[in-house]
Amino acid sequence: MERDSSFSAETAGALFGDSEALAGVTVIVCASCRDETGSDAHPRAGELLAEDTRRAVSGENIRIRTVECLGNCKRRLSAAILRDGCWSYVFGDLTATSGADLVAGAKLFATSKDGLIPWRGRPDCLKRGLVARIPPLDLLKDQI
């Protein structure tokens, strides 16, 4: 389903600067994540990733937040990208310098018409590092 998402380069070019669309996207970075060595050194690799992501956002209207643990420790540095009323994404196996890729993914998400991050144009680390895609609650059909 995700690979079939339609997303034209023309749409991306027209909307990447749309501050209102970008305002609906939040990147959450796990600040407690350790690097591949498992070191307890501070600042933690997750904190460095959060700083790198904040630098990469450079004035764009994308929220960058941190959380103490995303519970994805086996996949090391982790982050999530969320947008109201859309699917949410969790990524792992990131590096302390993956901030620009997270921002690029957030921009793709902001311009998506179907509420999914398009596969085409997604940075490689967000393709390989996908851990979970979580549907918005209003999309669920089962009721108990």
Side-chain angles (χ1 to χ4, degrees):
M1 177 160 105
E2 191 172 351
R3 290 178 192 255
D4 296 330
S5 299
S6 61
F7 183 78
S8 71
E10 181 181 326
T11 302
L15 295 177
F16 263 38
D18 186 346
S19 183
E20 189 174 316
L22 293 176
V25 178
T26 301
V27 177
I28 299 173
V29 178
C30 180
S32 61
C33 282
R34 297 178 173 138
D35 66 15
E36 63 278 349
T37 69
S39 169
D40 271 336
H42 287 275
R44 292 261 175 100
E47 294 173 76
L48 297 175
L49 174 58
E51 288 174 23
D52 190 59
T53 307
R54 286 187 185 102
R55 277 191 301 276
V57 83
S58 70
E60 299 283 357
N61 198 10
I62 298 170
R63 290 181 301 264
I64 309 298
R65 307 284 306 268
T66 58
V67 67
E68 280 306 308
C69 185
L70 283 173
N72 191 35
C73 302
K74 289 186 187 253
R75 298 283 300 268
R76 296 291 174 200
L77 273 72
S78 298
I81 302 178
L82 302 98
R83 180 177 161 204
D84 287 340
C86 298
W87 290 77
S88 297
Y89 291 80
V90 178
F91 300 97
D93 300 321
L94 302 171
T95 68
T97 59
S98 295
D101 289 341
L102 288 170
V103 171
K107 288 179 178 180
L108 285 171
F109 201 16
T111 60
S112 167
K113 295 193 187 285
D114 61 4
L116 299 169
I117 299 176
W119 188 259
R120 179 174 291 139
R122 189 185 297 185
D124 285 339
C125 73
L126 301 185
K127 289 178 180 178
R128 290 187 315 269
L130 181 63
V131 173
R133 188 179 78 176
I134 304 161
L137 291 176
D138 61 350
L139 186 67
L140 300 177
K141 294 179 172 79
D142 298 0
Q143 294 185 12
I144 295 177

